[in-house]
């Protein structure tokens, strides 16, 4: 729990805040439904993969694994996690 909290506070929080601000500047449309759909699509395709990778890498290193092992964990876990995550947003 402490490791996840550290990741959320030091990595996810600042990155997500900057990402949401960027989306607000990038996605400009008067159609609110189109804006929401575009933001979700960009979030899931552009932001989520690197964020999940950083999550798995950071937790591995905080658990005492080497950076190389952290990279391997991120590589191994990214696609299975995305396969579970993406259907949620497409339903």
């Amino acid at each position: 729990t402490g490791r996840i909290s550290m990741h959320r506070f030091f990595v996810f929080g600042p990155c997500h805040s900057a990402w949401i601000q960027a989306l607000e500047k990038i996605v400009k449309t008067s159609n609110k439904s189109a804006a929401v759909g575009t933001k979700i699509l960009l979030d899931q395709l552009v932001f989520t993969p690197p964020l999940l990778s950083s999550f798995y890498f950071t937790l591995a290193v905080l658990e005492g694994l080497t950076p190389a092992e952290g990279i391997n964990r991120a590589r191994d876990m990214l696609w299975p996690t995305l396969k579970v995550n993406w259907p949620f947003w497409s339903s």
Side-chain angles (χ1 to χ4, degrees), residues 24-63:
E24 290 299 321
K25 291 178 183 175
I26 293 168
V27 179
K28 302 262 188 218
T29 179
S30 59
N31 183 329
K32 293 194 186 288
S33 295
V36 169
T38 301
K39 288 176 186 177
I40 290 172
L41 185 66
L42 287 171
D43 184 66
Q44 291 299 302
L45 296 178
V46 176
F47 185 71
T48 298
L51 182 71
L52 285 172
S53 295
S54 76
F55 173 77
Y56 288 124
F57 174 80
T58 302
L59 260 56
V61 171
L62 289 174
E63 290 169 5

Side-chain angles (χ1 to χ4, degrees), residues 1-89:
T1 304
R3 293 179 192 119
I4 293 172
S5 297
M6 287 178 61
H7 180 269
R8 300 268 309 170
F9 185 76
F10 292 110
V11 178
F12 178 81
C15 291
H16 192 256
S17 178
W19 174 246
I20 295 301
Q21 290 173 4
L23 281 178
E24 290 299 321
K25 291 178 183 175
I26 293 168
V27 179
K28 302 262 188 218
T29 179
S30 59
N31 183 329
K32 293 194 186 288
S33 295
V36 169
T38 301
K39 288 176 186 177
I40 290 172
L41 185 66
L42 287 171
D43 184 66
Q44 291 299 302
L45 296 178
V46 176
F47 185 71
T48 298
L51 182 71
L52 285 172
S53 295
S54 76
F55 173 77
Y56 288 124
F57 174 80
T58 302
L59 260 56
V61 171
L62 289 174
E63 290 169 5
L65 300 178
T66 67
E69 292 170 318
I71 290 170
N72 287 336
R73 179 182 285 179
R75 187 179 300 127
D76 292 343
M77 297 298 296
L78 180 61
W79 183 241
T81 305
L82 288 173
K83 286 194 300 188
V84 171
N85 181 55
W86 285 341
F88 174 79
W89 291 105

